[in-house]
């Protein structure tokens, strides 16, 4: 466990500082926000004996499915009256995910040392998100831990269902594009060179389509290893640059919600996740400022997270939630109207739940229509490739046959 020195401001604006243990600076910030103080500066001072399971690159990831199963099992165990430490150690011994098992054992160790469940979970932000930890803390403080796990399980199941539907809808076009790419590579490297030797034996001028095919094939054959290496390096570089903490992550997160057809679906799915998470946090009793802070990190999009943080800053300056949402420029007029009604009636959590349902219905409809939008584009691409190939291969033979008959 690492030791951090922090400087913060309390509710009255007075400066406070001290030392606190945590798994990361973000985890420490979450602990301070839960205490009602706003962190200003957090600095790591030393590292304790926190349990590790090897380099992060080779660690097994804890998936949404793992968290859903864990949350559902904790509901049953807490309902049965099993002590928290005993429940967590029992789940650690039964899970097949080694990373999750290590984390659960470490959480149990911290519980035995006197820390709360929320604080113990906050030491592992790669497993338990800031939103997950905040809901657990509220459940602990209110004595409704079982209800907190139930809300988390429902939220995670909804998020997993949305992600699975998006992946399922994208599977067909991705498979077609990969098949086209493989076919182009095989034709240019193996098939067209065989025809090139045949065309050279004709000793005649070749049509433009054939010249295009031969030039492209020659380029592929000459530079194929360089092309393969460039593609591999480009893919790895793209993943590193646009991944979490990458230098191009903000730019990519902004561009991917503006991709024609697909970008709108990604945007609505992200906003649905934001609305449902925000609703769950408010319903659990998390303060609005804290809820916006933790929900911003749950969007998995740096650009949208920045807009949500802007909403939080606006509310801190005294603006209403509705006006801050208008300034964010993320929501449709209908959603803004629902948010205004929720703020006037004091039912923001209920309205945000309806906003999430609204976005998810739109995402579901768009996903069903996605193949209708993409199939014509794919058919045109395949048709153009077949047309150029047919013209390039058969026109010289046609010219040769015509010359022989005349």
């Amino acid at each position: 466990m690492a030791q951090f020195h922090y400087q913060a401001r309390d509710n009255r604006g007075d400066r406070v500082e001290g030392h606190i243990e945590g798994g990361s600076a973000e985890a420490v910030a979450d602990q301070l926000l839960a205490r009602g103080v706003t962190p200003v500066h957090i600095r790591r001072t030393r590292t304790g004996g926190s349990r590790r399971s090897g380099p992060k690159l080779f660690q097994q990831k804890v998936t949404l499915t793992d968290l859903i199963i864990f949350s559902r099992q904790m509901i049953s165990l807490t309902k049965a009256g099993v002590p928290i430490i005993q429940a967590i150690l029992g789940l650690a011994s039964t899970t097949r995910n080694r990373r999750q098992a290590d984390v659960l054992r470490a959480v149990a160790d911290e519980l035995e040392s006197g820390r709360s469940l929320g604080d113990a979970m906050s030491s592992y932000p790669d497993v338990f998100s800031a939103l997950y930890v905040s809901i657990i803390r509220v459940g602990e403080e209110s004595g409704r831990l079982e209800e907190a796990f139930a809300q988390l399980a429902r939220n995670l199941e909804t998020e997993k269902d949305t992600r699975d539907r998006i992946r399922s809808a994208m599977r067909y076009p991705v498979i077609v594009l990969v098949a086209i790419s493989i076919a182009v590579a095989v034709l240019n490297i193996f098939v067209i060179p065989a025809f090139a030797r045949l065309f050279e034996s004709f000793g005649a001028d070749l049509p433009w389509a054939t010249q295009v095919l031969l030039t492209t094939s020659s380029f592929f054959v000459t530079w194929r290893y360089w092309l393969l290496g460039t593609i591999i390096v480009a893919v790895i570089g793209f993943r590193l640059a646009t991944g979490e903490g990458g230098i191009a992550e903000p730019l990519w997160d902004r561009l991917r919600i503006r991709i024609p057809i697909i970008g709108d679906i990604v945007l609505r799915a992200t906003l649905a996740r934001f609305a449902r998470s925000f609703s769950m946090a408010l319903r659990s009793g998390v303060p609005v400022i804290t809820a916006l802070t933790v929900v911003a990190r749950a969007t998995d999009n740096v650009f949208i997270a920045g807009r949500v943080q802007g909403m939080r800053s606006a509310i801190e300056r005294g603006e209403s939630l509705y006006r801050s949402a208008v300034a964010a420029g993320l929501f449709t007029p209908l959603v803004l109207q629902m948010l205004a009604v929720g703020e006037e009636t004091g039912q923001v959590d209920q309205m945000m739940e309806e906003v999430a349902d609204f976005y998810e219905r739109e995402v579901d409809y768009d996903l069903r229509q996605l193949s209708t939008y993409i199939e014509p584009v794919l058919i045109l691409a395949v048709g153009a490739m077949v047309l150029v190939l047919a013209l390039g291969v058969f026109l010289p033979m046609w010219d040769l046959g015509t010359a022989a008959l005349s």
Side-chain angles (χ1 to χ4, degrees), residues 42-354:
I42 299 174
R43 178 174 57 86
R44 185 169 184 159
T45 56
R46 68 178 178 83
T47 303
S50 62
R51 184 175 307 193
R52 297 185 180 273
S53 57
K56 186 176 180 179
L57 181 63
F58 302 102
Q59 284 180 0
Q60 186 178 6
K61 291 186 177 180
V62 179
T63 64
L64 277 178
T65 302
D66 294 326
L67 284 178
I68 292 170
I69 295 174
F70 168 74
S71 301
R72 286 294 179 190
Q73 290 173 327
M74 286 299 297
I75 295 172
S76 301
L77 292 171
T78 52
K79 185 182 297 184
V82 179
I84 294 295
I85 296 177
Q86 181 180 342
I88 291 178
L89 287 175
L91 295 179
S93 63
T94 58
T95 182
R96 296 182 179 181
N97 189 305
R98 294 181 59 186
R99 170 60 179 164
Q100 186 180 25
D102 290 342
V103 169
L104 291 180
R105 293 190 187 96
V107 168
D109 290 344
E110 295 188 28
L111 289 175
E112 290 177 345
S113 66
R115 300 189 71 193
S116 66
L117 179 60
D119 288 344
M121 286 181 169
S122 68
S123 301
Y124 305 93
D126 60 319
V127 176
F128 303 106
S129 67
L131 178 63
Y132 197 105
V133 171
S134 296
I135 302 302
I136 292 298
R137 281 178 175 149
V138 172
E140 284 184 294
E141 293 171 0
S142 61
R144 298 184 296 177
L145 192 58
E146 176 189 333
E147 183 179 339
F149 277 116
Q151 289 185 10
L152 288 168
R154 288 193 297 269
N155 185 67
L156 292 172
E157 286 169 351
T158 303
E159 181 178 345
K160 182 179 183 300
D161 179 64
T162 302
R163 291 187 179 185
D164 288 345
R165 282 184 291 153
I166 292 176
R167 291 193 185 101
S168 178
M170 293 300 299
R171 190 173 295 121
Y172 167 72
V174 168
I175 290 175
V176 172
L177 290 175
V178 170
I180 291 175
S181 301
I182 294 175
V184 169
V186 171
L187 287 172
N188 280 283
I189 296 175
F190 300 104
V191 178
I192 296 178
F195 281 99
R197 291 189 291 270
L198 176 63
F199 295 152
E200 288 177 0
S201 64
F202 292 168
D205 293 334
L206 298 175
W208 66 269
T210 307
Q211 293 180 10
V212 169
L213 284 180
L214 295 180
T215 303
T216 305
S217 175
S218 176
F219 177 80
F220 267 83
V221 171
T222 304
W223 301 98
R224 54 185 171 182
Y225 297 115
W226 285 98
L227 286 173
L228 180 61
T230 301
I231 292 173
I232 294 175
V233 171
V235 170
I236 295 175
F238 177 81
R239 294 293 299 273
L240 292 176
T242 59
E244 185 176 356
I247 58 174
E249 183 186 11
L251 177 61
W252 170 242
D253 282 347
R254 186 170 184 173
L255 289 177
R256 67 175 178 166
I257 62 175
R258 298 183 178 180
I259 300 174
I261 301 176
I262 300 174
D264 194 45
I265 297 176
V266 174
L267 174 61
R268 293 179 183 182
T270 305
L271 291 179
R273 186 185 308 126
F274 158 76
R276 192 169 298 281
S277 301
F278 190 45
S279 171
M280 181 179 64
L282 293 178
R283 186 179 294 113
S284 301
V286 179
V288 174
I289 300 298
T290 304
L292 287 173
T293 301
V294 297
V295 168
R297 302 174 191 170
T299 59
D300 291 333
N301 187 295
V302 175
F303 173 71
I304 294 178
R307 294 298 179 93
V308 175
Q309 294 285 9
M311 291 174 59
R312 185 203 66 180
S313 300
I315 293 175
E316 288 177 335
R317 294 194 301 268
E319 295 187 16
S320 66
L321 181 61
Y322 168 75
R323 290 187 177 277
S324 65
V326 172
L330 292 174
F331 306 100
T332 62
L334 176 61
V335 171
L336 291 172
Q337 183 179 359
M338 295 170 65
L339 187 57
V341 172
E343 194 168 22
E344 291 176 2
T345 59
Q347 297 178 331
V348 176
D349 57 339
Q350 181 178 343
M351 285 298 168
M352 292 304 293
E353 187 77 18
E354 294 184 11

